[in-house]
Every structure is written in C-alpha cells, then in structure tokens.
C-alpha cells in the first residue's frame, strides 16, 4: 500500500480561520496516525487577492497550534511553468482546445438560457474547431466528457454522483495565459502524490471536474473527504458576524493551543462520549471515517470549558510563559515582583482564559491604588484597624513560611480578638489585592512575600484610618 500523503492548501486571502485550522488539524492527525506525510501548500494563484501578510498570518496560526508540516510550504505561484506544461499536454492530446468566444457573447447566451429555464453552460461553440479566429485572444477549455456520470466515494459523505452533462468544458487557462484554480489543484495534488484530499465541503462541486482532469491526464485519482462546515449559533455559516474566527484572535484572547485543538477536533469528530483528548490521544484515535456528515455549531462556552480545563491542569511554568504577553499588554512587568509561577498557581483553578488570569494577576505586580469601597463598607472600621495592626505585628514576628502557617496565624488572630474568620481574612485580602475576589490568603501572601504583604497592609491601614 502506498504511504498516506495529505495536504492543507489554504488560499492566502486572509488569516487562518477556525474552519481552516480544523481542516489542517484533520489532515495533520491522519498523517500522524498513519505515519504519513503532511504537506503545506499555499494556493496563491489569485494574485489580486493573495497577500504576503496573509501567508505570514496563516503560518503564524499553524505554528501556534503546533501543526507542523513535513513538506512545504509550496507556493502555487512558483509552479506556473509546470501548469503550462500540463495545459499543453492536454491540448496536444486533443483533450483541451482554444476557445475564442468573447465574454459578452457568453454572457448573452447565459442570460438567454436562464430566461428559458435552462441550466447555463458552455454551448461548445469552439469545441470542434474555430476556424478563422487564429491570432485573436483565447482561453483554453478542457474537453469534458459529455455523457455518463462522474462519481466518487467520499470518505465522509458517501457516494456522490454528478451527471456529466451538468459539467461543461472548464476553462483551464485564461486569456492572459494564467492557469485556473481547479486545474492547478489537480496538477499539484497529482505531482505531490497526494493520496487523500481532506478539505471543506464547499469544494464538493469542484471534485467531479477535478476527477475528470485526473483521468484525462492519466493520474491516479486520490480519495476525497469533504468536511462539513462550521456554523454560528444561528446556524448560518460561521463568519466574523458571530465573533472572532481567526486562530490568532483566539490566542490573543487567552486560549491555549491545546484547548483550541481539542475543541476543533470535537467539532465534527467523535470517539465515544469522550470530550477531552490530549494530542497523543487525538493522534491515536483519529480516523476520518468518524467525522460526522452534518455541520457543527461553534460553541464558545464549550471552548471556554476546555480552556479552563487545560489552564487548570497545565504545567505552571508553561502557563506562566504563555501569560507573559497578556501581562505586558497591561503594562505589567514581572521584574522584581513575585515569582510568576507562584502567581499562576494561585490563579489556575478559576481562570477561563489567560486574559482573565492576567486581569487577576495584575495586583501582584502593582499594589492596589484604590480599594473596593463596597467590600470595605461591610466591615467595622475599628475592627479592621485592629485586624491590620495584629496582622502586621504577627507577620513581622512569625514570618509564616507556608500557606498552612498563614492559615494558622489567621485562626490565631480570629481566636485572640474573638472575631469570625471572615472578619479577619476579608479585610486583609482587600488590603493586599484591592478587592475581596482574590485567591486564598495563604497563596497571596506566599506569592507576595512577607515584606510586601506588610507594606500593603500598612498602606491599607492608613487608607482605612483616614476614611
Ligand atoms: N485553496 C482552497 C481553499 O482555501 C482549498 C482547496 C483544496 O483544499 O483543494 O478553500
């Protein structure tokens, strides 16, 4: 059996969107699962719409997700001579011909067909020769079979058949000599020896035309797997209207690549009732035949749930690294402040995204300049001052070395001053972080260090005393 070869073939006309990323992921997983080869090909034949920025954005998205490729990136724009060569082969074999029909003639015929209720298609004017037109501008059309049908067994959708009479003679080379999209795809897939084409199901209609080209050129026809669309919550095709669709936007919103990959793999693919898949499990279990036939709806809540899972269970050192750009964005530098890994550990249990985590991490590096008034208002001023004074004295004396020691100290204050735990812990939490919604006191104090803790309680004491 020949080795599996698959490819992801984005057109560089925008960023890498989640639908494209899922197609890339399915290709990548299948290659990893079968020990095959994953090729990246940039389909930039549409010179007007393709941009270098878009290529960069696509590569950046792929790299961030960790979808590494074995061959490429190949650029279609580098292969124009190759396409020309194959166009010529078809012409020489009589399987393609010059067509001199003018755009407005074709337009008029198309309109007439529509008026008469016929399906518009090229009427074959130049099919059997166009004498006397030499020297005039022409396109090259593929001489498509007119009878019979073209079918394929889609690995996801099952058997799909198109009657050949519905497929007219495709233009394979434009008047300016450039090859057209469907033709380039076939030449590339054939010469790159792609064995399975996995792509979005918006390409189903291109497939019979491409198969006819493979056959005319004597190339083996690959297998096809057309992946259903991703829809927004209103069941319309996912677009910007529904929110972020770019992979890099998800990175910037604080999602972990493993969470997005896990989310995307489950969007259309399943393995039992499992929801959480490590990369290794995905690779081991992935099979294109378990991709569903119907479109999937993008669900941000589920993505958040997975992201929270991966943040919670992530290696704190790695999470700290990933958190850094989100802190810089907030003007926060960790230099001279608490160890970011310790800070991360205090926040990992509750954050949905790294953005949320960054918001909550700011106070560790920037002492609060204001305090949550509504939270402070719940406590009696004299009691608060007593708690602050006692805490400052005890912290300086005991210097608790771990969370348990902090907890014991708080219990001691509570017992000695006959105050409920909440009346001790909450004001201190507000003093340290500015708000009552902060991680556990032991965690905060251990991350801040005793000296900084005492400084902050002193500052809050002054503030409360002056209220
Ligand atoms: N370049 C096409 C696209 O971005 C993909 C073509 C293919 O996979 O065959 O939609």
């Amino acid at each position: 059996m020949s080795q599996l070869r698959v490819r992801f073939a984005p057109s560089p006309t925008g960023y890498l969107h989640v639908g494209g990323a899922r197609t890339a992921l399915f290709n990548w997983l299948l290659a990893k699962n079968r020990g095959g080869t994953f090729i990246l090909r940039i389909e930039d034949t549409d010179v007007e719409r393709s941009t270098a920025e878009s290529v960069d954005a696509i590569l950046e998205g792929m790299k961030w997700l960790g979808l590494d490729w074995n061959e490429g990136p190949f650029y279609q724009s580098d292969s124009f001579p190759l396409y020309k060569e194959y166009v010529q082969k078809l012409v020489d074999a009589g399987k393609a011909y010059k067509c001199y029909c003018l755009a407005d003639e074709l337009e008029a015929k198309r309109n007439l067909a529509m008026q008469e209720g016929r399906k518009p298609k090229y009427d074959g004017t130049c099919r059997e020769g166009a004498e006397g037109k030499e020297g005039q501008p022409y396109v090259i059309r593929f001489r498509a079979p007119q009878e019979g049908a073209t079918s394929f067994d889609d690995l996801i959708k099952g058997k799909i058949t198109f009657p050949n009479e519905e497929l007219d003679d495709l233009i394979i080379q434009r008047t300016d000599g450039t090859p057209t999209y469907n033709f380039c795809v076939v030449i590339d897939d054939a010469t790159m020896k792609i064995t399975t084409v996995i792509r979005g199901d918006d390409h189903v209609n291109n497939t019979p035309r491409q198969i006819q080209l493979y056959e005319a050129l004597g190339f083996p026809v690959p297998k096809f797997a057309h992946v259903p669309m991703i829809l927004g919550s209103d069941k319309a095709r996912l677009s910007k209207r529904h929110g972020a669709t770019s992979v890099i936007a998800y990175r910037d919103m604080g999602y972990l690549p493993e969470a997005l990959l896990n989310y995307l793999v489950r969007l259309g693919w399943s393995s039992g009732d499992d929801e959480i898949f490590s990369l290794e499990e995905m690779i081991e279990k992935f099979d294109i035949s378990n991709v569903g036939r119907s479109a999937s709806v993008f669900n941000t809540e589920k993505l958040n749930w997975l992201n929270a899972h991966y943040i919670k269970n992530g290696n704190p050192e790695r999470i700290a690294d990933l958190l850094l750009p989100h802190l810089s964005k907030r003007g926060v530098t960790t230099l001279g402040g608490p160890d970011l890994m310790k800070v991360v550990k205090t926040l990992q249990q509750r954050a949905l995204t790294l953005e949320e985590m960054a918001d909550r991490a700011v106070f560790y590096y920037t002492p609060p300049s204001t305090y949550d008034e509504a939270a402070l208002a719940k406590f009696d001023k004299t009691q608060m001052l007593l708690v602050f004074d006692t805490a400052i004295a005890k912290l300086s004396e005991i210097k608790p070395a771990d969370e348990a020691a902090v907890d014991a100290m708080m219990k001691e204050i509570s017992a000695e001053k006959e105050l409920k735990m909440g009346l001790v812990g909450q004001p201190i939490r507000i003093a340290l972080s500015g708000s009552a919604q902060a991680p556990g006191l032991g965690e905060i104090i251990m991350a801040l260090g005793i000296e900084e803790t005492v400084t902050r309680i002193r500052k809050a004491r002054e503030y409360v005393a002056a209220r």
Side-chain angles (χ1 to χ4, degrees):
M1 233 186 81
S2 67
Q3 270 258 328
L4 177 104
R5 289 175 65 83
V6 292
R7 81 322 189 254
F8 175 52
S11 304
T13 54
Y15 45 69
L16 177 64
H17 57 86
V18 288
R22 186 187 54 162
T23 303
L25 174 63
F26 284 1
N27 275 289
W28 185 87
L29 286 174
L30 193 66
K32 292 271 177 205
N33 174 284
R34 304 270 184 90
T37 304
F38 175 52
I39 296 165
L40 178 61
R41 180 171 82 224
I42 306 291
E43 303 207 316
D44 58 349
T45 42
D46 184 344
V47 195
E48 308 221 315
R49 294 179 60 221
S50 303
T51 65
E53 293 74 43
S54 168
V55 172
D56 291 344
I58 291 169
L59 298 184
E60 189 185 2
M62 298 279 288
K63 284 181 191 153
W64 178 67
L65 287 172
L67 300 177
D68 49 350
W69 49 92
N70 308 107
E71 291 179 19
F74 298 113
Y75 294 82
Q76 282 190 327
S77 55
D78 290 337
S79 297
F80 281 115
L82 181 76
Y83 307 135
K84 279 218 113 130
E85 198 184 299
Y86 280 99
V87 168
Q88 196 54 45
K89 274 191 185 167
L90 284 181
V91 173
D92 292 345
K95 293 177 178 174
Y97 59 90
K98 292 180 181 174
C99 167
Y100 297 89
C101 295
L102 298 170
D104 46 0
E105 286 167 16
L106 293 171
E107 175 76 20
K109 284 181 186 171
R110 193 175 305 125
N111 290 341
L112 185 66
M114 303 231 285
Q115 266 169 30
E116 293 175 357
R118 285 180 289 122
K119 205 172 161 185
K121 66 181 251 195
Y122 180 61
D123 66 355
T125 304
C126 300
R127 212 172 202 258
E128 307 310 333
E131 249 135 80
K133 303 266 179 145
E134 286 82 8
Q136 293 179 25
Y138 60 87
V139 299
I140 295 182
R141 284 187 189 268
F142 172 59
R143 193 185 299 280
Q146 293 189 303
E147 279 151 25
T150 301
S151 4
F152 58 100
D153 284 308
D154 192 281
L155 297 175
I156 296 171
K157 294 177 181 277
K159 188 167 174 132
I160 302 182
T161 302
F162 291 81
N164 286 342
E165 60 176 4
E166 282 183 15
L167 307 166
D168 57 3
D169 290 353
L170 181 75
I171 297 177
I172 56 175
Q173 181 178 298
R174 299 184 191 88
T175 317
D176 63 4
T178 57
T180 58
Y181 168 74
N182 275 304
F183 188 74
C184 300
V185 172
V186 170
I187 302 306
D188 282 339
D189 284 340
T191 54
M192 293 175 187
K193 301 204 173 346
I194 300 301
T195 56
T196 307
V197 170
I198 304 172
R199 60 186 172 199
D201 69 0
D202 45 337
H203 290 285
V204 165
N205 288 339
N206 289 328
T207 308
R209 296 181 178 286
Q210 295 182 0
I211 291 174
Q212 291 181 347
L213 287 168
Y214 281 101
E215 288 171 344
L217 288 159
F219 289 132
V221 180
K223 291 181 183 147
F224 292 95
H226 287 97
V227 182
M229 293 284 101
I230 301 178
L231 308 178
S233 47
D234 57 357
K235 305 282 159 74
R237 189 176 168 171
L238 189 70
S239 71
K240 278 189 197 149
R241 204 157 53 75
H242 298 104
T245 56
S246 123
V247 163
I248 291 301
Y250 281 93
R251 177 194 69 188
D252 296 345
M253 289 188 293
Y255 291 88
L256 303 187
E258 58 269 39
L260 190 58
L261 288 174
N262 191 152
Y263 179 70
L264 290 176
V265 83
R266 281 286 295 107
L267 211 50
W269 174 80
S270 57
S271 171
D273 291 331
D274 294 349
E275 288 295 353
I276 292 180
F277 295 91
S278 68
L279 222 44
E280 292 72 31
E281 286 166 336
M282 279 184 219
I283 292 171
E284 189 199 315
K285 297 186 173 154
F286 186 79
D287 192 343
I288 200 78
S289 62
N290 291 339
V291 173
R293 287 186 182 197
S294 46
S296 324
V297 175
F298 197 88
N299 177 343
T300 307
E301 271 164 34
K302 188 165 162 198
L303 172 60
N304 287 346
W305 175 77
L306 280 167
N307 205 46
H309 166 86
Y310 283 102
I311 288 180
K312 199 186 291 179
N313 297 290
N315 171 335
E317 201 175 336
R318 174 159 175 273
I319 303 286
D321 277 346
L322 295 174
L323 186 65
L324 273 176
H326 298 273
L327 288 172
S328 313
K329 203 159 105 182
R330 288 162 173 74
V332 171
T333 158
T334 57
L335 283 178
D339 177 6
L340 186 56
M341 214 163 90
K342 277 193 195 164
V343 168
V344 163
K345 283 188 191 163
T346 71
L347 300 168
Q348 260 179 304
Q349 294 308 310
R350 283 170 290 262
L352 288 184
T353 65
L354 294 175
E355 277 287 276
E356 212 174 89
M357 189 184 263
D359 278 338
R360 294 179 190 162
V362 170
F363 82 83
Y364 283 104
Y365 300 96
T366 327
S369 50
T370 59
Y371 301 92
D372 180 345
E373 280 297 336
L376 282 179
K378 291 186 189 141
F379 304 97
D380 174 73
K381 179 171 171 177
T382 324
Q383 270 180 10
M384 271 200 284
L385 294 178
L386 178 66
V387 165
F388 289 156
D389 288 338
T390 320
I392 292 167
K394 283 202 188 283
L395 279 164
S396 315
E397 182 199 321
I398 303 174
K399 299 206 176 7
D402 56 27
E403 287 171 31
V406 172
D407 290 345
M409 198 192 92
M410 293 300 153
K411 282 209 184 96
E412 224 176 272
I413 301 178
S414 150
E416 274 174 27
K417 305 297 167 196
E418 295 184 356
L419 292 170
K420 280 192 207 142
M421 275 302 279
L423 297 179
V424 178
Q426 284 294 70
I428 297 181
R429 188 175 278 115
I430 299 168
L432 298 179
S433 74
S435 104
Q437 266 121 40
L441 261 192
E443 293 176 295
I444 306 180
I445 293 176
M446 283 305 110
L448 283 177
I450 304 299
E451 210 183 303
E452 176 66 12
T453 302
V454 170
T455 308
R456 289 193 187 189
I457 299 176
R458 283 217 171 93
K459 203 175 138 204
R461 191 201 183 283
E462 271 172 40
Y463 178 86
V464 168
R467 260 166 105 235

